Amino acid sequence: MPRRQGRAGRNEHGGARRYSWRRSADPAPPPADPPTAPASAPAPQDQDSVVNAALYRDGVRVATPETLTDTYRQLREKPRTMAWIGLARPSDSELKSLAAEFDLHELAVEDAMEAHQRPKLERYGETLFVVLRAARYLDAPEEVEFGELHVFVGPDFVITVRHGAAPDLSAVRGRMESTPDLLRLGPEAVLYAILDAVVDGYAPVVSGVQNDVDEIETEVFSGAPAVSRRIYELSREMVEFQRATRPLVGMLHALMAGFAKYGTDEELQRYLRDVADHVTHTSERVDVFRQALADILTVNATLVTQQQNAEMRALAEAGFEQNEEIKKISSWAAILFAPTLVGTIYGMNFENMPELGWGFGYPFAVGLMGVVCVSLYVIFKRRDWL
C-alpha cells in the first residue's frame, strides 16, 4: 500500500521498531527529509465525524489537529508522539484514509464500516483490533441501550470508531490527560482506559436491571396484566447484555496472556486484571438475571394458569347454580302445567264429553289434578330437582 511505504520510510530514518506498546525512551532522530503522502492515498472528504484528535508525548498533549490530514502530517513531523483519534460513525472515505495511513487490515476496516459485530479481539501484525459493546440504562423507558465501539491500537496510535451514544470517550480522554503517568505508558494504557470505561458503564445497567427484576417480582404476585410482556422484553435485553459481556472475559484473559511476550508495564497489568475481575462479576450477574427472569416467567405462567383455572371453576360453579335454578323452575312449571292441562280439557264444553254430565266429574277432575301434581313433585324431589 502506498501509505505503508511512507510510514516505513519514517521508520528507516527513525530506527527500526519492534512491536511494543511503549515507544522507546531514547528519542529517534528526525528524518532528514520528512516524507510526504503519495498523491494516490485517499484523503478524507468529510471531517464531521472526527470528535477529537490529539498528539501526545510523554503523557502530555502536544498538538490538537483539526483534520485527519493535519493529524497525519504532524504525527510524521513530531517524533516519539502518539496519535489518539476519536471518530463517531465515520464515512467510508475516512476509514479508507485511516487504513492507508496506519496500515490497517482491510478485514478490520470492513468490520468497522459495517458495525453490528460481536465483541472480539484480533491481532493484525503490529495492530490490535478490538470490538466492544457498551451499554447504558435509560431510566425513563426502563430499558437498556447498547452501543458499539471499535478500537484500533498500534505502536503509536489509537483510533476509536463509535457507533452509538455509549460510552463517553471524552471523559476517558479527560481522565487520561489528568494522569500523565498513566498516559505515558502509551496506546496500551489508552486501551485499558477504554476497556475500564466500558466495563464501568455496565455497573449502572446491572443496578437498573436489578431494580426492574425486583419490580417484576412484585408485579407478578400482584397479578399485573402487562407483566408477561415486560419479562419478555427484559429477557431479550439480558440476552444482548450477555452477548456483550461474556466474550469480553475471554478477550481480557487473552490480553493478560500476552503480558510477558509484549512487555506490558506491571502497573498496567494490575489495572487490566482489575477490569477482568469486574467483567467476570458483571457476566455472572447477567447470568443470574437471565436465570431469575426464566424462573419468574415460569412462576408467572403458573400463576396465570391458576388464575384461569379459578375463573373457569367460578364459571362452572355459576353455571351449576344456574342449572339448579333452571331445574327448580322447570319442575314447578311442569307441576303447574298438569292441572292447567286437565282444566283446559274439561273446560272446552263439548256436548259429547261423557264426564260433563257425570255427578262425580268435578271431584274426579280435581282429584286427577292433585294426583298428577303430587306424582310429579315426588319424581322431581327424588331426582333432587326440588
Side-chain angles (χ1 to χ4, degrees):
M1 299 175 63
R3 285 285 184 175
R4 181 183 298 179
Q5 295 175 358
R7 292 183 67 80
R10 186 159 70 95
N11 291 342
E12 290 176 1
H13 293 289
R17 293 183 302 185
R18 64 181 177 85
Y19 182 60
S20 173
W21 291 107
R22 290 166 291 161
R23 302 295 298 270
S24 172
D26 299 328
D33 297 317
T36 58
S40 59
Q45 302 296 327
D46 182 11
Q47 302 299 333
D48 292 339
S49 67
V50 180
V51 178
N52 201 341
L55 299 182
Y56 299 90
R57 179 187 297 150
D58 294 329
V60 179
R61 183 187 290 225
V62 295
T64 307
E66 295 183 357
T67 65
L68 292 179
T69 303
D70 291 341
T71 304
Y72 304 156
R73 177 180 55 80
Q74 294 187 41
L75 183 61
R76 297 191 195 99
E77 295 174 352
K78 299 178 184 296
R80 301 175 56 235
T81 57
M82 176 189 72
W84 183 354
I85 304 171
L87 305 173
R89 297 184 179 89
S91 63
D92 292 352
S93 62
E94 288 173 324
L95 287 176
K96 291 177 180 178
S97 173
L98 290 166
E101 175 65 26
F102 295 106
D103 195 18
L104 306 180
H105 197 278
E106 59 181 4
L107 294 179
V109 174
E110 182 180 351
D111 288 344
M113 288 180 181
E114 295 179 356
H116 303 292
Q117 302 294 317
R118 63 176 180 84
K120 60 182 178 180
L121 183 150
E122 295 178 346
R123 194 180 299 274
Y124 298 97
E126 292 188 333
T127 303
L128 271 180
F129 176 60
V130 181
V131 179
L132 303 172
R133 294 293 304 278
R136 64 173 182 170
Y137 185 79
L138 304 179
D139 291 326
E142 294 185 340
E143 62 184 25
V144 182
E145 181 183 72
F146 295 93
E148 190 169 333
L149 180 65
H150 299 200
V151 186
F152 296 90
V153 184
D156 59 353
F157 67 87
V158 177
I159 302 169
T160 59
V161 180
R162 184 160 50 88
H163 298 273
D168 183 9
L169 294 182
S170 62
V172 177
R173 190 184 293 268
R175 172 194 170 192
M176 293 298 290
E177 291 181 350
S178 65
T179 54
D181 291 340
L182 183 60
L183 186 56
R184 186 179 294 114
L185 298 178
E188 188 176 20
V190 177
L191 177 61
Y192 147 72
I194 294 173
L195 288 168
D196 188 53
V198 171
V199 174
D200 286 347
Y202 294 154
V205 178
V206 171
S207 178
V209 172
Q210 181 66 66
N211 291 334
D212 288 345
V213 172
D214 294 340
E215 291 177 0
I216 286 174
E217 289 179 342
T218 303
E219 292 177 0
V220 164
F221 290 101
S222 64
V227 67
S228 297
R229 180 181 181 86
R230 189 177 182 187
I231 295 173
Y232 174 77
E233 291 176 348
L234 189 57
S235 298
R236 291 296 301 272
E237 290 176 356
M238 288 305 96
V239 171
E240 290 296 323
F241 202 7
Q242 194 174 55
R243 291 173 180 171
T245 57
R246 180 171 291 179
L248 199 52
V249 176
M251 291 165 54
L252 288 171
H253 281 88
L255 280 176
M256 291 187 293
F259 283 165
K261 180 178 180 181
Y262 299 107
T264 304
D265 184 84
E266 293 184 1
E267 185 68 14
L268 204 54
Q269 292 182 27
R270 286 191 287 268
Y271 286 143
L272 287 170
R273 290 192 186 97
D274 181 66
V275 174
D277 290 340
H278 290 170
V279 170
T280 301
H281 176 70
T282 301
S283 180
E284 292 173 352
R285 290 292 302 276
V286 174
D287 292 341
V288 171
F289 288 150
R290 285 200 63 187
Q291 184 61 46
L293 289 170
D295 294 340
I296 292 174
L297 188 60
T298 302
V299 172
N300 181 65
T302 303
L303 293 176
V304 170
T305 302
Q306 291 178 351
Q307 182 179 1
Q308 291 176 346
N309 292 338
E311 292 175 354
M312 294 297 295
R313 189 181 303 110
L315 289 174
E317 291 175 354
F320 177 78
E321 293 177 357
Q322 186 177 9
N323 289 337
E324 292 299 316
E325 294 297 328
I326 292 175
K327 288 179 181 180
K328 292 180 180 180
I329 295 173
S330 300
S331 299
W332 285 112
I335 293 173
L336 295 176
F337 175 74
T340 303
L341 177 62
V342 175
T344 301
I345 293 174
Y346 285 99
M348 291 187 292
N349 296 322
F350 287 110
E351 294 181 357
N352 295 325
M353 291 182 65
E355 290 84 0
L356 292 179
W358 186 29
F360 295 97
Y362 174 74
F364 174 77
V366 174
L368 181 61
M369 294 178 188
V371 171
V372 174
C373 289
V374 171
S375 300
L376 291 175
Y377 180 81
V378 172
I379 293 172
F380 292 145
K381 193 68 175 177
R382 288 181 177 178
R383 294 185 179 181
D384 293 330
W385 284 33
L386 291 175

